[in-house]
Short mmCIF file of all heavy atoms in Angstrom, two decimals:
data_model
loop_
_atom_site.label_atom_id
_atom_site.label_comp_id
_atom_site.label_asym_id
_atom_site.label_seq_id
_atom_site.Cartn_x
_atom_site.Cartn_y
_atom_site.Cartn_z
N TYR A 1 -14.30 -2.17 -1.39
CA TYR A 1 -14.13 -1.22 -2.47
C TYR A 1 -14.98 -1.61 -3.69
O TYR A 1 -14.88 -0.95 -4.73
CB TYR A 1 -12.66 -1.14 -2.88
CG TYR A 1 -11.84 -0.17 -2.05
CD1 TYR A 1 -12.12 0.04 -0.70
CD2 TYR A 1 -10.79 0.53 -2.61
CE1 TYR A 1 -11.37 0.92 0.05
CE2 TYR A 1 -10.03 1.42 -1.86
CZ TYR A 1 -10.32 1.62 -0.53
OH TYR A 1 -9.57 2.50 0.21
N ASP A 2 -15.81 -2.62 -3.54
CA ASP A 2 -16.77 -2.95 -4.60
C ASP A 2 -18.11 -2.27 -4.36
O ASP A 2 -19.01 -2.35 -5.20
CB ASP A 2 -16.98 -4.47 -4.68
CG ASP A 2 -17.81 -4.88 -5.88
OD1 ASP A 2 -17.40 -4.56 -7.01
OD2 ASP A 2 -18.88 -5.50 -5.71
N GLY A 3 -18.30 -1.64 -3.20
CA GLY A 3 -19.56 -1.00 -2.90
C GLY A 3 -20.70 -1.98 -2.74
O GLY A 3 -21.87 -1.64 -2.96
N SER A 4 -20.36 -3.20 -2.33
CA SER A 4 -21.37 -4.26 -2.19
C SER A 4 -20.89 -5.26 -1.15
O SER A 4 -19.86 -5.08 -0.52
CB SER A 4 -21.57 -4.97 -3.54
OG SER A 4 -20.47 -5.81 -3.85
N GLY A 5 -21.66 -6.37 -1.03
CA GLY A 5 -21.26 -7.42 -0.11
C GLY A 5 -20.13 -8.27 -0.63
O GLY A 5 -19.51 -9.04 0.11
N ALA A 6 -19.82 -8.16 -1.93
CA ALA A 6 -18.67 -8.86 -2.49
C ALA A 6 -17.40 -8.18 -2.04
O ALA A 6 -17.32 -6.95 -2.00
CB ALA A 6 -18.75 -8.88 -4.02
N LEU A 7 -16.40 -8.95 -1.69
CA LEU A 7 -15.18 -8.36 -1.15
C LEU A 7 -14.18 -8.03 -2.25
O LEU A 7 -13.92 -8.84 -3.13
CB LEU A 7 -14.55 -9.31 -0.13
CG LEU A 7 -15.38 -9.50 1.15
CD1 LEU A 7 -14.73 -10.53 2.06
CD2 LEU A 7 -15.55 -8.17 1.88
N PHE A 8 -13.64 -6.83 -2.17
CA PHE A 8 -12.67 -6.34 -3.16
C PHE A 8 -11.35 -7.07 -2.97
O PHE A 8 -10.84 -7.19 -1.85
CB PHE A 8 -12.49 -4.84 -2.97
CG PHE A 8 -11.48 -4.22 -3.89
CD1 PHE A 8 -11.84 -3.77 -5.14
CD2 PHE A 8 -10.16 -4.08 -3.49
CE1 PHE A 8 -10.90 -3.18 -5.99
CE2 PHE A 8 -9.21 -3.50 -4.33
CZ PHE A 8 -9.59 -3.05 -5.58
N GLY A 9 -10.77 -7.54 -4.06
CA GLY A 9 -9.47 -8.19 -3.99
C GLY A 9 -8.49 -7.68 -5.01
O GLY A 9 -7.53 -8.37 -5.37
N GLY A 10 -8.72 -6.47 -5.51
CA GLY A 10 -7.86 -5.91 -6.55
C GLY A 10 -6.66 -5.16 -6.00
O GLY A 10 -6.09 -5.52 -4.96
N ILE A 11 -6.28 -4.10 -6.70
CA ILE A 11 -5.08 -3.33 -6.36
C ILE A 11 -5.45 -1.87 -6.21
O ILE A 11 -6.19 -1.33 -7.03
CB ILE A 11 -3.99 -3.48 -7.44
CG1 ILE A 11 -3.76 -4.96 -7.79
CG2 ILE A 11 -2.69 -2.84 -6.98
CD1 ILE A 11 -2.82 -5.17 -8.97
N THR A 12 -4.96 -1.22 -5.16
CA THR A 12 -5.29 0.17 -4.89
C THR A 12 -4.04 1.01 -4.66
O THR A 12 -2.97 0.49 -4.32
CB THR A 12 -6.18 0.29 -3.65
OG1 THR A 12 -5.42 -0.14 -2.50
CG2 THR A 12 -7.44 -0.56 -3.77
N THR A 13 -4.20 2.31 -4.81
CA THR A 13 -3.09 3.21 -4.51
C THR A 13 -2.72 3.18 -3.03
O THR A 13 -1.55 3.35 -2.68
CB THR A 13 -3.43 4.65 -4.93
OG1 THR A 13 -4.68 5.02 -4.33
CG2 THR A 13 -3.52 4.79 -6.43
N SER A 14 -3.70 2.97 -2.15
CA SER A 14 -3.39 2.92 -0.73
C SER A 14 -2.43 1.78 -0.43
O SER A 14 -1.51 1.93 0.41
CB SER A 14 -4.67 2.77 0.10
OG SER A 14 -5.45 1.68 -0.34
N GLU A 15 -2.61 0.63 -1.09
CA GLU A 15 -1.66 -0.47 -0.92
C GLU A 15 -0.28 -0.06 -1.40
O GLU A 15 0.74 -0.38 -0.76
CB GLU A 15 -2.13 -1.71 -1.69
CG GLU A 15 -1.16 -2.87 -1.56
CD GLU A 15 -1.44 -4.03 -2.51
OE1 GLU A 15 -2.49 -4.02 -3.18
OE2 GLU A 15 -0.58 -4.94 -2.59
N VAL A 16 -0.21 0.64 -2.51
CA VAL A 16 1.08 1.02 -3.09
C VAL A 16 1.82 2.00 -2.18
O VAL A 16 3.04 1.89 -1.99
CB VAL A 16 0.90 1.61 -4.50
CG1 VAL A 16 2.24 2.04 -5.09
CG2 VAL A 16 0.23 0.57 -5.42
N TYR A 17 1.11 2.95 -1.59
CA TYR A 17 1.75 3.86 -0.62
C TYR A 17 2.35 3.06 0.54
O TYR A 17 3.45 3.35 1.02
CB TYR A 17 0.74 4.87 -0.08
CG TYR A 17 0.57 6.10 -0.94
CD1 TYR A 17 -0.52 6.23 -1.79
CD2 TYR A 17 1.50 7.14 -0.90
CE1 TYR A 17 -0.69 7.36 -2.58
CE2 TYR A 17 1.35 8.28 -1.68
CZ TYR A 17 0.25 8.39 -2.53
OH TYR A 17 0.09 9.51 -3.31
N LEU A 18 1.62 2.04 1.00
CA LEU A 18 2.12 1.24 2.12
C LEU A 18 3.29 0.36 1.71
O LEU A 18 4.21 0.12 2.50
CB LEU A 18 0.97 0.39 2.68
CG LEU A 18 -0.07 1.18 3.48
CD1 LEU A 18 -1.33 0.35 3.67
CD2 LEU A 18 0.50 1.58 4.84
N ILE A 19 3.29 -0.13 0.48
CA ILE A 19 4.44 -0.90 -0.03
C ILE A 19 5.68 -0.01 -0.05
O ILE A 19 6.76 -0.41 0.39
CB ILE A 19 4.15 -1.46 -1.43
CG1 ILE A 19 3.11 -2.57 -1.37
CG2 ILE A 19 5.44 -1.99 -2.07
CD1 ILE A 19 2.65 -3.07 -2.73
N ARG A 20 5.52 1.22 -0.57
CA ARG A 20 6.69 2.10 -0.63
C ARG A 20 7.14 2.52 0.76
O ARG A 20 8.35 2.60 1.04
CB ARG A 20 6.37 3.33 -1.48
CG ARG A 20 7.63 4.14 -1.81
CD ARG A 20 7.40 5.17 -2.88
NE ARG A 20 6.55 6.28 -2.44
CZ ARG A 20 6.28 7.34 -3.19
NH1 ARG A 20 6.79 7.44 -4.41
NH2 ARG A 20 5.50 8.32 -2.72
N ALA A 21 6.18 2.73 1.65
CA ALA A 21 6.54 3.10 3.02
C ALA A 21 7.32 1.97 3.69
O ALA A 21 8.37 2.20 4.32
CB ALA A 21 5.28 3.41 3.82
N GLU A 22 6.81 0.73 3.58
CA GLU A 22 7.51 -0.39 4.22
C GLU A 22 8.89 -0.59 3.60
O GLU A 22 9.87 -0.84 4.33
CB GLU A 22 6.69 -1.68 4.08
CG GLU A 22 7.38 -2.87 4.72
CD GLU A 22 6.58 -4.17 4.64
OE1 GLU A 22 5.36 -4.11 4.42
OE2 GLU A 22 7.18 -5.25 4.83
N SER A 23 8.98 -0.51 2.28
CA SER A 23 10.27 -0.71 1.62
C SER A 23 11.27 0.35 2.07
O SER A 23 12.44 0.03 2.35
CB SER A 23 10.09 -0.66 0.11
OG SER A 23 9.22 -1.68 -0.33
N SER A 24 10.84 1.59 2.18
CA SER A 24 11.74 2.65 2.63
C SER A 24 12.21 2.39 4.06
O SER A 24 13.39 2.57 4.38
CB SER A 24 11.03 4.02 2.55
OG SER A 24 10.77 4.37 1.22
N ALA A 25 11.30 1.95 4.92
CA ALA A 25 11.68 1.67 6.31
C ALA A 25 12.71 0.54 6.37
O ALA A 25 13.69 0.62 7.11
CB ALA A 25 10.44 1.30 7.13
N ARG A 26 12.49 -0.49 5.57
CA ARG A 26 13.42 -1.63 5.59
C ARG A 26 14.78 -1.26 4.99
O ARG A 26 15.78 -1.91 5.27
CB ARG A 26 12.81 -2.81 4.84
CG ARG A 26 11.63 -3.44 5.61
CD ARG A 26 11.09 -4.66 4.88
NE ARG A 26 9.97 -5.29 5.56
CZ ARG A 26 10.07 -6.16 6.56
NH1 ARG A 26 11.28 -6.49 7.02
NH2 ARG A 26 9.01 -6.71 7.11
N LEU A 27 14.80 -0.22 4.18
CA LEU A 27 16.05 0.26 3.60
C LEU A 27 16.70 1.35 4.44
O LEU A 27 17.68 1.96 4.04
CB LEU A 27 15.80 0.77 2.18
CG LEU A 27 15.39 -0.31 1.16
CD1 LEU A 27 14.91 0.34 -0.13
CD2 LEU A 27 16.55 -1.26 0.89
N GLY A 28 16.12 1.62 5.63
CA GLY A 28 16.70 2.58 6.55
C GLY A 28 16.35 4.03 6.29
O GLY A 28 16.95 4.92 6.89
N GLU A 29 15.37 4.29 5.43
CA GLU A 29 14.98 5.66 5.10
C GLU A 29 13.72 6.03 5.89
O GLU A 29 12.60 5.99 5.37
CB GLU A 29 14.79 5.80 3.59
CG GLU A 29 16.07 5.50 2.83
CD GLU A 29 15.96 5.84 1.35
OE1 GLU A 29 14.97 6.48 0.95
OE2 GLU A 29 16.87 5.46 0.61
N THR A 30 13.92 6.39 7.13
CA THR A 30 12.83 6.62 8.06
C THR A 30 11.93 7.77 7.63
O THR A 30 10.71 7.67 7.66
CB THR A 30 13.38 6.90 9.46
OG1 THR A 30 14.21 5.81 9.87
CG2 THR A 30 12.26 7.08 10.48
N SER A 31 12.51 8.88 7.22
CA SER A 31 11.73 10.06 6.86
C SER A 31 10.82 9.78 5.67
O SER A 31 9.62 10.13 5.69
CB SER A 31 12.67 11.22 6.55
OG SER A 31 11.93 12.36 6.16
N ALA A 32 11.36 9.14 4.64
CA ALA A 32 10.54 8.82 3.46
C ALA A 32 9.43 7.85 3.81
O ALA A 32 8.30 7.98 3.33
CB ALA A 32 11.43 8.22 2.37
#
């Protein structure tokens, strides 16, 4: 996500969607 050979190590919305998805699954909320 740096558009170069340097590797991105920051924070993205895609990570946040996956955090919320995993948290919902672990809390038993399959649909969410």
Side-chain angles (χ1 to χ4, degrees):
Y1 274 34
D2 188 58
S4 73
L7 293 176
F8 178 88
I11 310 173
T12 65
T13 53
S14 53
E15 179 191 352
V16 178
Y17 275 101
L18 286 164
I19 290 173
R20 191 167 70 175
E22 180 178 342
S23 300
S24 293
R26 290 183 180 277
L27 293 169
E29 299 189 10
T30 303
S31 179

